[in-house]
Amino acid sequence: MGFAILNGEIIERSNAMVDVEDRGYQFGDGVYEVIRVYNGKMFTVEEHLNRFERSSKNIGITLPFAKEQVKEQLENLIKKNNLQLGIIYMQVTRGTAPRNHTFPSGDVKPTVVAYTKELSRPTENMQTGVKTILVEDIRWLRCDIKSLNLLGNILAKQQAAEAGCFESIQHRGEDVTEGSSSNIFIVKNGVIHTHPSNNLILKGITKDVILDLCSKNGIAVEERVFTKEDLNNADEVFLSSTTAEVMPIVKIDGRKVKNGSPETVTRRLQALFTEEIENQCGKL
Ligand code: PSZ
């Protein structure tokens, strides 16, 4: 896609360069967001910008722009790139300074970058469901921060890819936490179970939309830790993320979830989620 934003200015993406001593490049010292765009409009943009602020604050980065300014910049970027269906990737790092673990002095400016990518909805996978594997969660204890440091996540995702699977379901011992880039839900006897949004998982925006849809539509939810055994005995399993939306999981470690095809509660949530997108962004 043609243009990017670098520190508030829209420039040709090929000219958007950062220094080799940018702390994002050297330390992964920054945070990011991925925002969905449908019909040229951002979905749940306020929630993403709030989380961006929260993540930044959590690692001591002060964003150089107010939320309203960032929103306007992103809207301009969408127009400039003529993006209809896709994503915005946005990140902020602590800035460029001589390499040193400690934070640089106060006059170093954070580096803010955003660009867009065309991306269709994963309709085929949403229809058939996807395969997953279980992997031990080896990440740090602040998974609530949407950090650029994704080594644990990418190693988990790579294992899934090598097993021909869409996603890895991570667990700490017996407890299921989240996917490598998604939140995980099970359905048992009509009740949805998902990990509480604490320090061990990312508080997914999609997860929160789903929980909201559940409460508005009388679908029971227990936001409580569930185990690998619960996962194996579940009636339905699905994952959620900005790009995957509500995605049925039909196989775990080669074993079928129930009958091996997407089931009622997941289907209902997919329909409700699509409605919510259309409410915010117009007919799909
Ligand atoms: O394009 C992609 O594959 C994306 S876009 C966003 C994600 C993947 N993942 C976000 C994410 C995550 O990285 C982890 C560790 N847990 C949960 C999620 C889901 O968060 P939301 O719903 O905010 O995208």
Side-chain angles (χ1 to χ4, degrees), residues 34 51 146 153 178 180-183 202 204-206 241-243:
V34 178
R51 188 172 66 184
K146 203 162 167 56
N153 306 65
E178 64 177 341
S180 71
S181 63
S182 61
N183 292 112
L202 185 74
I205 307 291
T206 319
S241 82
T242 291
T243 50

Side-chain angles (χ1 to χ4, degrees), residues 9-229:
E9 267 187 75
I10 296 192
I11 58 173
E12 287 270 4
R13 180 172 153 182
S14 54
N15 292 332
M17 306 284 219
V18 295
D19 195 274
V20 291
E21 282 192 318
D22 185 278
R23 291 178 63 95
Y25 184 63
Q26 290 195 321
F27 298 113
D29 185 4
V31 298
Y32 75 106
E33 279 297 326
V34 178
I35 305 172
R36 236 318 177 182
V37 174
Y38 301 101
N39 296 324
K41 294 193 186 76
M42 288 181 278
F43 181 66
T44 53
V45 61
E46 298 297 331
E47 289 83 349
H48 281 281
L49 294 180
N50 286 339
R51 188 172 66 184
F52 193 53
E53 253 186 14
R54 204 167 61 233
S55 294
S56 305
K57 209 168 149 191
N58 268 313
I59 64 166
I61 292 178
T62 308
L63 289 178
F65 303 102
K67 238 174 12 195
E68 273 312 305
Q69 276 179 297
V70 177
K71 190 174 161 190
E72 202 180 308
Q73 289 170 15
L74 297 179
E75 281 166 351
N76 290 337
L77 183 67
I78 290 170
K79 273 197 211 112
K80 191 88 179 168
N81 282 339
N82 203 7
L83 181 71
Q84 285 300 307
L85 182 60
I87 56 155
I88 295 174
Y89 177 87
M90 170 171 62
Q91 71 169 46
V92 60
T93 74
R94 204 177 305 279
T96 295
R99 188 178 184 282
N100 192 347
H101 284 58
T102 50
F103 293 1
S105 66
D107 53 4
V108 171
K109 281 199 182 65
T111 312
V112 187
V113 169
Y115 64 91
T116 65
K117 193 178 92 168
E118 280 183 27
L119 188 72
S120 54
R121 296 177 76 203
T123 42
E124 200 177 311
N125 280 338
M126 291 196 307
Q127 273 311 310
T128 57
V130 295
K131 296 188 282 187
T132 60
I133 56 168
L134 277 161
V135 306
E136 185 69 39
D137 192 338
I138 61 165
R139 300 171 305 158
W140 70 331
L141 299 173
R142 288 305 305 273
C143 295
D144 54 319
I145 299 171
K146 203 162 167 56
S147 160
L148 294 180
N149 278 279
L150 289 173
L151 268 178
N153 306 65
I154 64 171
L155 292 177
K157 185 70 106 187
Q158 182 61 20
Q159 285 182 65
E162 285 171 9
C165 291
F166 181 84
E167 178 62 305
S168 282
I169 301 176
Q170 302 175 102
H171 56 90
R172 288 190 190 265
E174 290 308 305
D175 296 345
V176 174
T177 50
E178 64 177 341
S180 71
S181 63
S182 61
N183 292 112
I184 305 289
F185 302 71
I186 62 171
V187 185
K188 186 70 184 175
N189 302 326
V191 181
I192 294 180
H193 300 255
T194 191
H195 196 289
S197 294
N198 60 16
N199 64 307
L200 297 182
I201 68 161
L202 185 74
K203 185 173 163 63
I205 307 291
T206 319
K207 176 191 185 213
D208 281 351
V209 170
I210 290 167
L211 296 187
D212 200 43
L213 289 171
C214 286
S215 94
K216 283 180 180 146
N217 291 279
I219 303 168
V221 177
E222 286 201 21
E223 228 182 330
R224 225 186 340 193
V225 175
F226 62 90
T227 63
K228 285 194 284 178
E229 193 186 338

Side-chain angles (χ1 to χ4, degrees), residues 245-259:
E245 303 179 11
V246 178
M247 181 67 76
I249 292 173
V250 293
K251 262 192 178 178
I252 304 166
D253 283 344
R255 218 177 31 241
K256 282 180 186 168
V257 174
K258 268 280 154 90
N259 305 316

